[in-house]
Amino acid sequence: MLSKIPVFKNFTIAKVFAAIFVIACTLLVFCLDMITRANVAFYIFYIPSIALMAWYFGKNAGWSMVALSFGLWFVAQWNADLREDAVIMFWDGLINLTNFSVVCWIILALRSREEQLRERSQELEQFAFNAAHELRSPATNIFGYAQLFHEKCQMDSDQETKGFVEKILKNVKRMTVLIKELLDYALAGKEEVAPSSTDLGKVLKDVLDGFNLAITEKKAELTFDPLPTLLVNPVLASVLFQNLIGNALKYCEKPPRIHVSAVRKGGDWVFSVKDNGIGIPAKDWRRIFVIFEKLPTTKEYLGSGIGLATCKKIVERYHGRIWVESKVGEGSTFRFSLSAD
Ligand code: ADP
């Protein structure tokens, strides 16, 4: 792949093709200028090329495009006999060069602002990751001691004390779930989490093993088709299935029937996790993928509203998308696509 060649390390193939396309468009405008010997300015058509180059490739490419466009425009104008009036040629040239430069400067400023925002959001994510990481161990300890205390209370405490301890246990459990979900969310955005050839069928089986207790308790029936091996990070793939299967088990009032499948569609694999749970109203199909968004439900479910936002982040990391189709009272099918290559 082109991106593996050092020169193209930070370029995707799409970017290289975009650059070729932009330069080709600029040359086309130049040819039109030359053929028509147009005195009317074609210069306006150079502007999108300058803007695209500056946005996608940065300072050097943007200013090189300004120089190229101005040079081509100048030759075309020379060809159109404008050279006979040097004063007009000078002022026209100055105005065009100013226009090209201003466009390039504005786009570069927008680009740098966008980079700053991205850096800030990465810093925040790193902060959330560190904070959650530090909180994890004390929270797990408190949970362990609260469990021991709860067991002790069963034997020699009054009803009120038992009630208090149960509340402590419930809240600490909520806290540990929240910390784990925050860690997963931050992990999904970390650049150093590298992809490798991952057998998603195996990942799913491991995830299901982790849900053994919940599956037995809820009398759930889980089936799955063969899943492909793809270039993704195995931990992130596991988090993705954990969230979707966990939700399918959680948001269900009858014995859950869950089916996981995958079909190849062009250059993508489209995965489905189908359940027979409480369902989701059509107006909320997009909202549920926003972080901390939880839907009001008749029963109280333990959750933080982070799980599906994490799934979206993981899928988008691999240039895929995630969506849901659902009928209230009948069930939901969560689908996500991942690139086959
Ligand atoms: P939570 O931790 O609250 O489960 P998620 O981000 O995983 O957070 O889910 C967001 C919301 O989407 C949930 O509060 C729930 O209302 C809804 N939801 C997610 N999965 C399902 C499902 N399989 N069936 C019904 N509702 C679901």
Side-chain angles (χ1 to χ4, degrees):
M1 264 181 47
L2 211 50
S3 54
K4 291 202 176 122
I5 304 168
V7 180
F8 294 113
K9 220 162 85 189
N10 296 320
F11 291 4
T12 60
I13 290 185
K15 275 191 180 181
V16 173
F17 278 117
I20 293 170
F21 178 73
V22 165
I23 292 171
C25 286
T26 308
L27 292 175
L28 186 70
V29 174
F30 169 67
C31 291
L32 282 176
D33 250 347
M34 292 292 278
I35 294 163
T36 58
R37 295 164 65 84
N39 283 338
V40 259
F42 265 118
Y43 81 90
I44 198 87
F45 292 108
Y46 292 115
I47 286 177
S49 312
I50 295 172
L52 284 171
M53 282 301 252
W55 181 262
Y56 285 111
F57 299 98
K59 217 164 153 184
N60 292 345
W63 290 116
S64 307
M65 203 63 192
V66 168
L68 177 70
S69 302
F70 182 72
L72 292 177
W73 171 86
F74 189 86
V75 172
Q77 293 302 296
W78 193 265
N79 178 53
D81 293 338
L82 261 193
R83 59 178 176 267
E84 280 156 23
D85 195 334
V87 179
I88 291 186
M89 186 86 185
F90 172 77
W91 285 111
D92 221 6
L94 193 67
I95 289 168
N96 283 343
L97 189 60
T98 312
N99 283 348
F100 291 170
S101 306
V102 167
V103 168
C104 184
W105 181 80
I106 290 174
I107 297 293
L108 288 174
L110 286 174
R111 191 177 191 261
S112 120
R113 181 90 192 110
E114 201 244 13
E115 262 166 22
Q116 270 174 9
L117 287 175
R118 196 159 358 110
E119 268 168 29
R120 205 166 295 165
S121 102
Q122 271 169 2
E123 269 170 30
L124 279 173
E125 260 171 34
Q126 185 62 40
F127 172 76
F129 184 80
N130 291 349
H133 197 261
E134 291 302 312
L135 283 171
R136 191 182 198 171
S137 157
T140 315
N141 279 337
I142 297 172
F143 185 58
Y145 284 117
Q147 262 178 325
L148 290 176
F149 192 39
H150 182 249
E151 278 162 28
K152 198 166 158 31
C153 283
Q154 296 306 315
M155 291 174 266
D156 49 37
S157 288
D158 57 81
Q159 258 339 89
E160 199 183 16
T161 314
K162 279 184 196 164
F164 287 154
V165 176
E166 261 156 33
K167 281 211 173 84
I168 293 174
L169 205 58
K170 193 174 150 198
N171 281 291
V172 178
K173 192 171 173 198
R174 201 177 263 270
M175 196 165 90
T176 45
V177 170
L178 179 66
I179 290 171
K180 171 168 186 317
E181 294 199 342
L182 271 176
L183 278 172
D184 287 345
Y185 184 79
L187 191 75
K190 278 192 167 293
E191 275 173 20
E192 55 270 29
V193 179
S196 59
S197 180
T198 302
D199 178 351
L200 292 171
K202 181 169 181 317
V203 171
L204 178 66
K205 277 183 207 141
D206 291 344
V207 167
L208 296 184
D209 283 347
F211 279 117
N212 254 340
L213 193 66
I215 292 173
T216 320
E217 265 175 15
K218 294 202 86 172
K219 298 189 175 61
E221 205 178 282
L222 271 131
T223 49
F224 54 90
D225 295 345
L227 300 188
T229 294
L230 297 179
L231 196 63
V232 291
N233 179 275
V235 179
L236 294 185
S238 167
V239 170
L240 183 59
F241 281 125
Q242 268 171 40
N243 282 313
L244 295 177
I245 307 275
N247 281 350
L249 286 166
K250 182 166 58 170
Y251 297 104
C252 195
E253 291 307 304
K254 38 196 174 212
R257 300 284 170 267
I258 303 166
H259 184 69
V260 184
S261 56
V263 282
R264 176 90 191 241
K265 282 201 178 151
D268 286 339
W269 277 94
V270 178
F271 295 77
S272 306
V273 179
K274 187 175 177 345
D275 66 49
N276 60 337
I278 57 171
I280 301 159
K283 66 175 175 45
D284 296 314
W285 287 2
R286 290 171 79 91
R287 193 182 128 196
I288 53 171
F289 293 101
V290 176
I291 191 162
F292 297 128
E293 282 289 347
K294 290 163 65 178
L295 302 183
T297 40
T298 40
K299 200 183 131 190
E300 200 200 340
Y301 295 96
L302 182 69
S304 54
I306 303 177
L308 289 178
T310 305
C311 292
K312 185 167 185 277
K313 211 168 167 193
I314 295 172
V315 169
E316 285 177 355
R317 186 184 173 113
Y318 299 112
H319 313 292
R321 65 184 196 97
I322 184 166
W323 67 101
V324 66
E325 288 148 23
S326 180
K327 226 170 181 188
V328 175
E330 288 185 22
S332 314
T333 304
F334 281 84
R335 295 188 206 281
F336 62 89
S337 62
L338 291 176
S339 170
D341 312 309

